[in-house]
């Protein structure tokens, strides 16, 4: 995991507000984060992971716990299928077998990318763990296509939708990254509200053309 490029925009999103409120009250056992923007789901997961383990519970990105998350070596944070490929039963079995191991920090977080690419058998294998994980364990499923998730899995997760951002928000986010005004304007108009797509359009000559 690396520091989110769109950190400021994601911090202001409704999705992060939901997670932040839940962290203050106590995280649930399972969440499904939905967005067609894969890159933004990855960034959102990084931000959430940092917030979960941050010593100040604010995702400061500077404390030792946040640094472990960003460096990819936090002992209680687990990333599954970061490459966004098909997830088979064996990978779910590996996740389940590690869930029961007691966390060093008191909490454990699992981030499953493109859970909608899980085979039906793999999803069914995960059901019991989603419903009754060990204390202190939270599982986050990322999905680009909600239709790819079984209803039985959906019913065990709290659904969170990442915003489809308006043009002004996208434009301002790109300008914060140093994008010139013209490119930011074009990208904001063509990205369908997706920050990851906007970044590709704004900074890639091929996309721009």
């Amino acid at each position: 995991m690396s520091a989110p490029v769109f950190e400021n925009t994601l911090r202001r999103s409704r999705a992060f507000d939901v997670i932040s409120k839940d962290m203050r009250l106590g995280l649930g056992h399972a969440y499904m984060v939905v967005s067609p923007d894969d890159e933004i789901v990855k960034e959102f997961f990084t931000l959430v992971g940092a917030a979960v383990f941050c010593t100040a519970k604010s995702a400061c990105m500077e404390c030792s716990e946040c640094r472990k998350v960003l460096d990819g070596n936090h002992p209680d944070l687990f990333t599954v299928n970061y490459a966004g490929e098909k997830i088979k039963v064996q990978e779910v079995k590996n996740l389940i077998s590690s869930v029961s191991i007691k966390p060093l920090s008191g909490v454990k977080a699992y981030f499953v990318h493109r859970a909608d690419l899980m085979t039906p058998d793999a999803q069914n294998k995960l059901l019991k763990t989603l419903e009754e994980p060990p204390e202190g364990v939270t599982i986050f499923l990322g999905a680009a296509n909600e239709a790819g998730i079984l209803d039985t899995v959906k019913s065990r997760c709290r659904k969170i939708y990442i915003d489809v951002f308006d043009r002004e928000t996208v434009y301002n986010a790109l300008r914060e990254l140093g994008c010139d005004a013209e490119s930011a304007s074009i990208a904001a108009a063509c990205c369908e509200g997706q920050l990851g797509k906007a970044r590709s359009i704004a900074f890639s000559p091929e996309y721009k053309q």
Side-chain angles (χ1 to χ4, degrees), residues 16-138:
F16 190 65
D17 185 55
V18 169
I19 290 293
S20 298
K21 287 178 179 177
D22 276 17
M23 281 195 289
R24 290 193 290 270
L25 299 172
L27 275 176
H29 56 271
Y31 294 84
M32 185 171 72
V33 178
V34 182
S35 172
D37 194 339
D38 288 348
E39 291 305 311
I40 289 307
V41 173
K42 289 179 179 179
E43 293 202 5
F44 184 76
F45 278 176
T46 299
L47 185 61
V48 171
V52 168
F53 296 103
C54 178
T55 55
K57 297 301 179 186
S58 63
C60 70
M61 303 298 178
E62 296 180 356
C63 70
S64 60
E65 294 300 294
C66 282
R67 293 312 312 173
K68 289 177 186 176
V69 170
L70 296 178
D71 292 341
N73 59 16
H74 197 289
D76 292 325
L77 186 151
F78 300 86
T79 299
V80 179
N81 194 37
Y82 190 81
E85 300 172 345
K86 191 172 183 178
I87 304 173
K88 298 180 181 179
V89 171
Q90 187 57 51
E91 292 173 270
V92 173
K93 286 182 178 179
N94 294 340
L95 184 158
I96 293 170
S97 66
S98 72
V99 161
S100 59
I101 300 173
K102 189 174 180 179
L104 297 176
S105 63
V107 295
K108 289 173 78 172
Y110 289 81
F111 294 93
V112 182
H113 294 273
R114 290 307 306 269
D116 50 317
L117 297 181
M118 235 187 286
T119 65
D121 286 345
Q123 293 188 50
N124 283 320
K125 189 74 177 177
L126 189 59
L127 287 178
K128 185 176 180 181
T129 302
L130 284 175
E131 188 167 14
E132 296 180 351
E135 185 177 355
V137 172
T138 299

Side-chain angles (χ1 to χ4, degrees), residues 7-19:
E7 177 184 339
N8 292 334
T9 305
L10 287 174
R11 281 184 187 276
R12 295 189 292 265
S13 69
R14 286 172 292 182
F16 190 65
D17 185 55
V18 169
I19 290 293

